[in-house]
Amino acid sequence: MAADPTTPPRHHLGVGLISVGWMGKLHSRAYQALPYVYPETGIRPRLVHAADTAADRVAYATDVLGYARGSGDYREVLADPEVDVVSICAPNMLHREIGVAAAEAAKPFWIEKPVGRTVEETAAVAAAANAAGLVTSIGFNYRHAPAVEHSRELVAQGALGRVTNVRAVFFASYAAEPKGALSWRFNRELAGSGALGDLLSHVVDLLQYVVGPVAEVTALTSTVYRERPLLPMGSATHFAVIEDGELGPVENEDYAAALVRFAGDAQGAGAVGTLEASRTIVGPQCGLGFELYGTDGSLAWNFERLNELRVCLGRGGPHQGYTTVLANPQLGDYARFQPGPGIAMGYDDLKVTEAKKFLVAVTGGERANCSVDDALSAAEVVAAAERSAADGSWQKVPAVPGTTAARRS
Ligand SMILES: NC(=O)c1ccc[n+]([C@@H]2O[C@H](COP(=O)([O-])OP(=O)(O)OC[C@H]3O[C@@H](n4cnc5c(N)ncnc54)[C@H](O)[C@@H]3O)[C@@H](O)[C@H]2O)c1
């Protein structure tokens, strides 16, 4: 029988998963949703092999998520010949080791941010992936929000005029409770920095995606709670609250603030701005947001109102000031998820778009994926902020070639 010309070519890809925590489960659901949301890609992921050091999480991967097999050692995932692509959702201290091992095994990988504890670790992962010529993807999921994609287009079209200044924050409350668990995130050996790597890295990626590369930074940090109750690895999430538990030290910062200069245009007129991140804030819950101000207009968006974009285009007229635009089929990939305007999309949907961008690039299509170069670029900004916070200086940020921002310019 002749092939149906309307049927796209099928790409059957075996998926390996390393670490079955919050992100590991979410990556799995994103692979499963991809064919429903993006059928024309012909991509058909198959969940093949999951690994975690916690046995109950391996059992969850095979019994509930539907992986064909599971193991306690991530090396078995990388050695599995039926695994074509790998999701690396381990805690930060394992990113360098596993990212480099995945590159050496020639498996394209989707790795969670911040890709390592330090810029040196991120650079090692990026170098290994680029030397192997691999497609990669990073868990900077907020890029894919339709309102963010639209903001990026408006900036690129010059609809705001010249962007002059920016305010951006990630105010998260996951550690606002003083008895919130001392997960791996609070340990320098396991996580590296605190709010800087965990939260400010998202802010930096978002702004570099929408506005352009950050060139210079000065920063300060503070730690609000110095001790928290201990939490064994793999036993709960960092949202857990533990009453009367044994206490251990918080080794990294709860709060960070930075002043930044973006790379300039030919006249040297780069935007300037303030970035802040907190994991102990009371009030905002998952408040990742930006305000962009230009000579001809402004934009404001916050993840807590994912489906709303506040827009002001033009300096005068009877409708001057902000208009709130609800997410609608003309913004980003919204139409893939909802048939009409004003029907809320959610966080998990952003991961489906992330999976699509990754696997489309893996199968030779458009390279819209966020890559190890983007992760390195964000890590350079975070490292510059850390150096500045230590001595109060202004720090230059090295430019990274190959990033989404560099490709656009
Ligand atoms: N993109 C985002 O919005 C986002 C959100 C949350 C977390 N993250 C990132 O995702 C990564 C994982 O975070 P999480 O919240 O899913 O963590 P988690 O604590 O929920 O899960 C971590 C898992 O890793 C497992 N693990 C520990 N050592 C292991 C090893 N040697 N081999 C295999 N598995 C091992 C643990 O048992 C646990 O199941 C981190 O890098 C984090 O920064 C990103």
Side-chain angles (χ1 to χ4, degrees):
M1 203 168 67
D4 178 352
T6 62
T7 306
R10 291 281 186 276
H11 301 287
H12 294 278
L13 293 170
V15 171
L17 171 66
I18 296 171
S19 297
V20 194
W22 177 21
M23 283 301 112
K25 293 171 189 171
L26 185 51
H27 280 223
S28 306
R29 295 204 300 277
Y31 288 121
Q32 287 166 325
L34 191 158
Y36 303 106
V37 179
Y38 298 99
E40 82 290 354
T41 61
I43 294 168
R44 299 290 182 270
R46 188 168 66 88
L47 305 185
V48 171
H49 198 149
D52 199 294
T53 41
D56 59 332
R57 295 200 168 187
V58 180
Y60 182 91
T62 51
D63 296 351
V64 180
L65 296 174
Y67 282 86
R69 42 193 173 274
S71 55
D73 187 340
Y74 77 83
R75 292 175 198 82
E76 293 187 29
V77 172
L78 297 180
D80 191 323
E82 288 184 37
V83 167
D84 301 306
V85 298
V86 179
S87 273
I88 303 173
C89 300
N92 303 352
M93 82 285 192
L94 294 165
H95 288 177
R96 193 196 71 80
E97 176 188 323
I98 300 176
V100 170
E104 286 170 359
K107 308 272 187 190
F109 58 87
W110 175 12
I111 186 167
E112 271 307 328
K113 45 59 60 176
V115 190
R117 292 166 291 194
T118 59
V119 67
E120 290 76 20
E121 292 196 335
T122 317
V125 175
N130 287 336
L134 289 178
V135 169
T136 52
S137 174
I138 313 300
F140 283 130
N141 24 257
Y142 302 102
R143 284 175 168 222
H144 318 302
V148 173
E149 296 279 22
H150 189 59
S151 299
R152 182 169 191 259
E153 280 171 26
L154 288 173
V155 169
Q157 290 162 6
L160 306 188
R162 180 166 57 83
V163 177
T164 53
N165 56 295
V166 168
R167 295 167 68 187
V169 298
F170 199 156
F171 283 161
S173 64
Y174 70 76
E177 173 58 51
K179 290 185 175 170
L182 188 81
S183 73
W184 57 265
R185 282 176 165 77
F186 300 84
N187 179 296
R188 199 159 274 284
E189 178 62 23
L190 302 181
S193 62
L196 276 166
D198 198 27
L199 302 177
L200 204 81
S201 61
H202 274 301
V203 177
V204 169
D205 181 70
L206 208 49
L207 289 182
Q208 298 206 120
Y209 187 61
V210 174
V211 177
V214 171
E216 230 180 323
V217 59
T218 184
L220 59 79
T221 60
S222 71
T223 302
V224 178
Y225 297 109
R226 301 245 161 226
E227 286 189 320
R228 291 178 176 278
L230 295 166
L231 175 76
M233 177 70 83
S235 60
T237 75
H238 56 296
F239 294 95
V241 173
I242 301 173
E243 300 292 342
D244 306 324
E246 187 190 342
L247 299 179
V250 171
E251 294 176 354
N252 49 28
E253 72 289 343
D254 288 327
Y255 171 86
L259 277 177
V260 298
R261 275 185 221 286
F262 290 81
D265 56 19
Q267 286 73 45
V272 294
T274 62
L275 321 183
E276 283 178 278
S278 170
R279 59 188 181 189
T280 54
I281 204 108
V282 174
Q285 303 290 296
C286 194
L288 168 62
F290 57 73
E291 297 168 14
L292 309 183
Y293 298 96
T295 51
D296 296 331
S298 330
L299 292 175
W301 177 81
N302 192 299
F303 173 73
E304 289 185 352
R305 306 195 78 87
L306 166 67
N307 297 287
E308 295 176 19
L309 181 63
R310 294 175 68 221
V311 184
C312 171
L313 297 180
R315 290 185 297 271
H319 298 134
Q320 59 187 286
Y322 282 106
T323 300
T324 299
V325 175
L326 282 188
N328 66 68
Q330 295 188 53
L331 307 193
D333 274 9
Y334 178 92
R336 297 314 191 114
F337 295 89
Q338 302 297 350
I343 305 168
M345 280 176 62
Y347 175 77
D348 290 13
D349 296 328
L350 308 182
K351 276 305 202 209
V352 181
T353 302
E354 193 161 274
K356 185 266 295 193
K357 287 181 177 177
F358 173 42
L359 294 186
V360 164
V362 166
T363 53
E366 187 191 6
R367 292 208 163 201
N369 53 309
C370 177
S371 74
V372 285
D373 300 316
D374 293 291
L376 179 56
S377 179
E380 290 284 12
V381 178
V382 166
E386 262 190 295
R387 292 195 301 273
S388 169
D391 67 8
S393 61
W394 273 92
Q395 292 283 324
K396 298 248 187 267
V397 180
V400 175
T403 61
T404 315
R407 286 205 300 272
R408 179 168 66 174
S409 60

